[in-house]
Structures are given as structure tokens and as C-alpha cells.
């Protein structure tokens, strides 16, 4: 049989179930508890690794060890199928993003193979320098936290530093790695997820990366994070949307610590490779719940958003956000705040009473998660 050398690119093969790129959220105009896991980070074994068979774990470890040591070839004790090689390599690539020098290309010369050829994005010397830069940057971010910070506080801090410090980019260097996001300041979804995973790892917070697609079929990556014994989804990429205006301080928390019920099969579709992982069913650690920004009536939401606008205006801040507890209440609040012009009247009253200089506001509402988010524009801002 004639042999052919096949180069598998993890961002190019749709039929193989491999990632094809990275989904990005553009500015969007609005139109029960699970199993408790008793574990510490030192004992933590990723559910992705745990789900593998004993044989697959050995293969995974071999590929991972090769990546750590910049080995060009991985030799297997027994021949494995090309599909198995693809699966294991993709899992290592997705989950071991601390080894950011690993290329998403590997070579499988036969339907069955005893040797896998892998490649690297950088030389070992260059990777060592970049790893040192990344460690310094990550450590600096962690050092900004108070000594008594809870894991929730740490996750919010990491999320906000990633979102405000990184710009989504398609063609910059290093965009698929934590190095690109945290050091260079540019990234795609792979990089955003890798940066969150790296910071959580350093802070001792169990996590793993999950890959899938959005509702348009574009590939995507985000994080699963274990908090207070429960799994939650966190998507930094989608909390850093492309805006039609420049607002470097913009950050939202729509997809921070949300359940599967709120996104799975709606906006996020997990690859079959990651099926069977522990479900994210809890909602108690959701950002809006923990920050007491979840409201159960349109009237309470209106009062709260007014207070946020007032406080932001006095302090020269820009963002105000809250969440409604259900669809009917959300659209009732939308009608009250925006359709009737109550937001405009609030701003006029606040300017008059407190001497703030708010000119107008943009809205970035989320009709799926029932979130109201507005960004204030000041008279001193450039005309837009």
C-alpha cells in the first residue's frame, strides 16, 4: 500500500472534529446543584485526563513529556491508530497550554503508527525566555490580590485583567497562547482560555479548557473552573467583545461563572471529545449573584442602575451592569429603561444634582442571559 504523509493541523480539519479557528463576539445590540467534589488542587486530576482509558493516559503522558522536553518524536510501545493519535494530541494541545511552544501540527505517516512526529513554535531557548516573561507577568497579576482574597475574588480579578489587558486579534503573533494574551496583549479564544487556566493554576484553582463551537458553527474555547466544589463555565473571550468605539476600560461579566443550562446548546456547543465531563449545574457563585447584582423586579433594577450611574459619574467611571432573574422581568426592565427613555432622564437628573458631565450612554445588553450593561460617555470624550 502506498504510504502518504499526513500533516494534521488542529485548526484546519472540520471532519476530524478539530478546532477550525476561534469564534468572536462582536458588539451585540439587544434585541439545581451538581455533584460536590471534595478535592484540593494538589490532588486535582483534570476530568479530561480522568476520562481516558489507562492506555490513553499512557499515550497522553508520553506526548506531554515530549512537549516538555522539546522532543521531535514520540515513540509508542505498540502501534496506535491515526484517530487515536489525533485525539490524544488534540487533548494534550488543548489542556497543556502552559507548554505554549507546542505547535498545533503533528505528523501521522500511516493509518497505524509507532512514532509520532511533532513540531514546535519556538526553539527551546526562545521558549525559555518567553516562559520567564510569562511567569513574571502572571506573578505580578496575582500579587495585586490581597492576602485574604477568596477564590471567587481571584477568578474575577484574573477575568478582568485578561479582558482589559488583551485585544482580540487574528493576525498578531502568539495569539493562541497565554503568552500572547498576558505579555503581548493580543489573543484569540485559545489564548484567552490559556491565560485564565494559567492564572488559576498558579492560584491553586482547579480548572480545564473545553473546546466547541458557537451558534454559528465557529470553533471556540473557554474554561471550566471548580469553585466551592462545583463546576462553572467562564468565557473571557466573549466578555471582551469587539466594540464600535474605543473603550479600553470596558469589561463585562456575562459569561463569568455560569452554568451549562445558561449557555450549553444556546451559545456554546461542546465538542463530543469533551462529552461526559462533570456538569456545571450550580449558580450560587455566578458573578451577578455573588455581587448582589441580580434583581427580581424591573423597579428594583431601575433603582439599582440609577445608583450605579450616579456612583460611576461621581468617580469618573464608565460601566454599570446588572442581571434580571427571568425573561419577562428582563424585557419589562428593558421597556422601562430604554423604550420609555428613563435612562436618559436618569442621566439628566444625575448631572443636574451632582454636577457630573455624562453626555450619553451605550447599551450592551444580553437578551439570552438577561443582563443590562451600559457604558457612560462623558462630555470630555471625543465626539463619536
Amino acid at each position: 500500500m502506498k504510504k502518504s504523509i499526513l500533516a494534521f493541523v488542529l485548526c484546519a480539519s472540520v471532519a476530524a472534529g478539530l478546532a477550525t479557528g476561534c469564534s468572536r463576539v462582536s458588539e451585540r445590540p439587544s434585541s439545581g446543584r451538581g455533584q460536590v467534589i471534595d478535592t484540593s488542587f494538589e490532588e486535582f486530576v483534570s476530568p479530561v485526563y480522568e476520562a481516558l482509558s489507562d492506555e490513553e493516559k499512557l499515550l497522553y503522558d508520553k506526548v506531554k513529556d515530549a512537549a516538555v522536553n522539546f522532543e521531535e518524536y514520540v515513540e509508542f510501545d505498540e502501534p496506535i491508530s491515526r484517530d487515536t493519535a489525533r485525539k490524544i494530541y488534540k487533548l494534550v494541545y488543548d489542556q497543556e497550554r502552559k507548554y505554549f511552544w507546542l505547535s498545533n501540527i503533528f505528523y501521522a505517516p500511516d493509518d497505524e503508527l509507532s512514532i509520532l512526529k511533532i513540531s514546535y513554535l519556538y526553539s527551546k531557548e526562545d521558549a525559555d525566555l518567553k516562559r520567564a516573561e510569562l511567569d513574571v507577568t502572571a506573578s505580578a497579576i496575582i500579587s495585586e490580590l490581597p492576602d485574604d482574597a477568596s477564590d471567587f475574588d481571584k477568578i474575577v480579578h484574573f477575568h478582568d485583567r485578561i479582558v482589559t489587558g488583551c485585544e482580540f486579534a487574528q493576525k498578531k503573533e502568539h495569539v493562541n497562547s497565554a503568552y500572547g494574551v498576558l505579555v503581548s496583549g493580543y489573543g484569540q479564544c485559545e489564548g484567552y482560555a490559556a491565560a485564565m487556566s494559567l492564572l488559576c493554576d498558579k492560584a491553586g484553582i482547579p480548572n480545564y479548557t473545553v473546546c466547541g463551537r458557537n451558534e454559528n458553527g465557529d470553533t471556540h474555547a473557554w474554561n471550566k473552573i471548580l469553585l466551592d466544589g462545583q463546576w462553572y463555565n467562564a468565557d473571557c473571550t466573549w466578555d471582551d467583545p469587539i466594540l464600535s468605539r474605543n473603550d479600553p476600560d470596558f469589561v463585562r461579566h456575562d459569561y463569568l461563572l455560569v452554568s451549562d443550562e445558561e449557555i450549553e446548546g444556546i451559545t456554546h456547543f461542546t465538542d463530543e471529545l469533551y462529552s461526559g465531563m462533570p456538569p456545571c449545574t450550580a449558580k450560587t457563585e455566578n458573578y451577578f449573584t455573588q455581587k448582589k447584582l441580580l434583581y427580581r423586579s424591573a423597579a428594583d433594577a431601575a433603582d439599582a442602575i440609577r445608583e450605579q450611574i450616579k456612583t460611576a459619574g461621581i468617580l469618573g467611571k464608565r460601566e454599570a451592569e446588572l442581571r434580571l432573574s427571568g425573561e419577562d422581568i428582563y424585557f419589562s426592565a428593558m421597556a422601562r429603561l430604554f423604550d420609555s427613555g428613563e435612562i436618559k432622564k436618569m442621566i439628566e437628573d444625575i448631572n443636574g444634582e451632582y454636577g457630573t458631565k455624562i453626555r450619553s450612554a451605550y447599551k450592551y445588553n444580553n437578551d439570552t442571559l438577561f443582563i443590562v450593561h451600559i457604558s457612560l460617555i462623558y462630555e470630555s470624550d471625543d465626539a463619536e
Side-chain angles (χ1 to χ4, degrees), residues 118-381:
I118 57 180
S119 58
Y120 300 93
L121 299 174
Y122 319 106
S123 68
K124 185 179 185 306
E125 293 74 17
D126 192 16
D128 286 342
L129 291 173
K130 286 181 169 57
R131 178 165 51 183
E133 288 182 272
L134 180 57
D135 286 343
V136 168
T137 303
S139 296
I141 291 173
I142 292 174
S143 72
E144 296 166 353
L145 288 160
D147 292 339
D148 62 349
S150 67
D151 282 353
F152 172 83
D153 294 333
K154 293 173 186 176
I155 292 165
V156 173
H157 178 66
F158 299 157
H159 169 278
D160 290 0
R161 290 288 273 107
I162 290 169
V163 171
T164 57
C166 182
E167 178 181 337
F168 185 87
Q170 294 281 5
K171 297 182 179 180
K172 297 285 186 178
E173 289 187 302
H174 324 302
V175 293
N176 291 324
S177 70
Y179 179 88
V181 169
L182 297 179
V183 179
S184 301
Y186 296 98
Q188 295 187 20
C189 58
E190 263 184 45
Y192 280 76
M196 176 59 94
S197 182
L198 174 73
L199 291 171
C200 285
D201 283 351
K202 286 184 173 293
I205 301 173
N207 69 92
Y208 66 96
T209 300
V210 64
C211 296
R213 298 176 183 274
N214 68 4
E215 67 269 36
N216 297 320
D218 301 317
T219 57
H220 192 45
W222 63 99
N223 300 98
K224 302 274 189 175
I225 300 176
L226 187 65
L227 181 58
D228 194 24
Q230 305 286 341
W231 286 102
Y232 294 86
N233 295 280
D235 191 338
C236 294
T237 312
W238 277 30
D239 277 343
D240 186 18
I242 297 172
L243 303 179
S244 60
R245 62 188 183 85
N246 181 37
D247 184 357
D249 298 325
F250 180 89
V251 57
R252 65 180 182 184
H253 303 89
D254 295 20
Y255 297 94
L256 182 56
L257 302 174
V258 297
S259 68
D260 290 340
E261 178 187 5
E262 295 166 299
I263 64 171
E264 186 67 38
I266 303 171
T267 53
H268 293 62
F269 297 79
T270 304
D271 281 350
E272 185 176 349
L273 193 60
Y274 292 97
S275 63
M277 298 297 104
C280 302
T281 57
K283 299 181 180 180
T284 53
E285 299 291 338
N286 175 258
Y287 174 84
F288 290 93
T289 300
Q290 286 296 309
K291 291 290 187 178
K292 302 188 185 308
L293 295 173
L294 178 65
Y295 294 90
R296 301 186 182 281
S297 77
D300 289 345
D303 291 342
I305 206 74
R306 185 189 190 284
E307 187 65 22
Q308 286 192 49
I309 292 171
K310 181 192 79 174
T311 301
I314 293 171
L315 298 176
K317 304 295 184 181
R318 295 184 181 275
E319 312 305 327
E321 61 183 351
L322 53 78
R323 187 175 188 182
L324 282 302
S325 60
E327 183 176 14
D328 292 343
I329 298 170
Y330 168 75
F331 283 107
S332 177
M334 289 278 289
R336 174 171 177 166
L337 292 170
F338 302 105
D339 297 345
S340 70
E342 188 167 343
I343 285 283
K344 181 179 179 181
K345 182 65 165 54
M346 284 180 186
I347 291 174
E348 291 173 352
D349 290 346
I350 291 168
N351 282 340
E353 185 174 355
Y354 297 97
T356 53
K357 304 293 184 182
I358 304 169
R359 186 176 77 222
S360 59
Y362 280 86
K363 65 176 180 178
Y364 303 101
N365 297 337
N366 189 320
D367 291 346
T368 302
L369 295 175
F370 315 135
I371 293 167
V372 175
H373 187 125
I374 65 171
S375 293
L376 302 179
I377 309 299
Y378 290 90
E379 292 178 4
S380 59
D381 292 336

